Amino acid sequence: MFARFTPEARRTTVRAGLLSLDHGRTALDEDMFLLALAESWPVADLAVTPEAVGAEIRNREAAKGRAGDRALLAAIGIDLDEIRRRLPARRDDPLAWRLTRSRLRPLNVTLSGPAGDLPLTARARKVVEVAVSTGDHFGVTGQDLLKGLLADGSNASVSILRRLGVDLRGLAASIGFLHRSA
């Protein structure tokens, strides 16, 4: 699937996976795509910072009463930071990662690389599928990933953007994802 991704979109997707791992998660969800986009894509004009998105993600997890996978693993003596120090040096290299769909279960998409395998949640898979379908002959871009996030108005990323005061309709129109009627 990565064959159609621009280097920028590939880096963003891998970064989203690494952020998931850094948060102690066992799957890649759409909120990590938003955090990765906030770090790498010029979302500054939206006043969306990685710090603000990260704080919203932590607030959502705390509101649900989840300590997160990192805290659960720490409770049984597993130090994720130590595990990461022992991982191969190419952990951040986008070319060392691949995004694959299962042949037997086509709804299963996995991001695999030096840090391990991360299945995509249904909402994260939708982000990727919308991005691939909206990408042009130049390939899938970070802007296409943003379109994928905006495609499902009920996902966590859209909720985070709303709480941060982003005009979602204006954002969608600005990236050509929403055509205003005449």
Side-chain angles (χ1 to χ4, degrees):
M1 292 178 84
F2 263 164
R4 294 197 48 213
F5 281 55
T6 63
E8 163 213 8
R10 188 179 186 119
R11 263 190 312 279
T12 300
T13 303
V14 168
R15 181 65 183 144
L18 293 173
L19 287 166
S20 286
L21 292 171
D22 290 346
H23 279 82
R25 295 185 181 181
T26 56
L28 173 55
D29 213 340
E30 84 280 0
D31 57 348
M32 291 296 134
F33 272 104
L34 178 62
L35 184 54
L37 280 169
E39 287 183 356
S40 66
W41 195 64
V43 192
D45 57 320
L46 302 175
V48 175
T49 65
E51 296 78 20
V53 173
E56 287 294 330
I57 290 170
R58 286 187 299 280
N59 290 342
R60 285 179 65 84
E61 288 174 347
K64 291 180 180 178
R66 290 192 312 199
D69 294 339
R70 174 182 284 276
L72 294 174
L73 290 171
I76 59 172
I78 297 173
D79 180 5
L80 284 177
D81 294 326
E82 177 61 26
I83 291 171
R84 286 199 178 68
R85 280 191 287 280
R86 294 180 184 202
L87 288 173
R90 294 186 55 190
R91 177 180 187 252
D92 296 338
D93 181 5
L95 296 177
W97 290 80
R98 64 188 190 285
L99 189 63
T100 57
R101 182 181 302 275
S102 169
R103 287 184 183 186
L104 298 176
R105 296 183 172 194
L107 294 179
N108 292 353
V109 177
T110 304
L111 179 64
S112 303
D117 296 336
L118 270 175
L120 275 67
T121 64
R123 291 180 185 225
R125 186 187 76 241
K126 183 174 183 176
V127 169
V128 170
E129 290 173 346
V130 169
V132 169
S133 70
T134 60
D136 58 19
H137 63 281
F138 295 113
V140 175
T141 65
Q143 192 171 24
D144 295 318
L145 290 170
L146 183 57
K147 290 175 184 177
L149 287 174
L150 296 175
D152 180 3
S154 65
N155 73 33
S157 296
V158 170
S159 298
I160 290 170
L161 289 171
R162 277 191 190 113
R163 278 196 305 280
L164 293 175
V166 174
D167 172 18
L168 295 173
R169 199 174 270 294
L171 174 60
S174 73
I175 62 172
F177 196 54
L178 176 67
H179 300 287
R180 298 190 182 196
S181 56

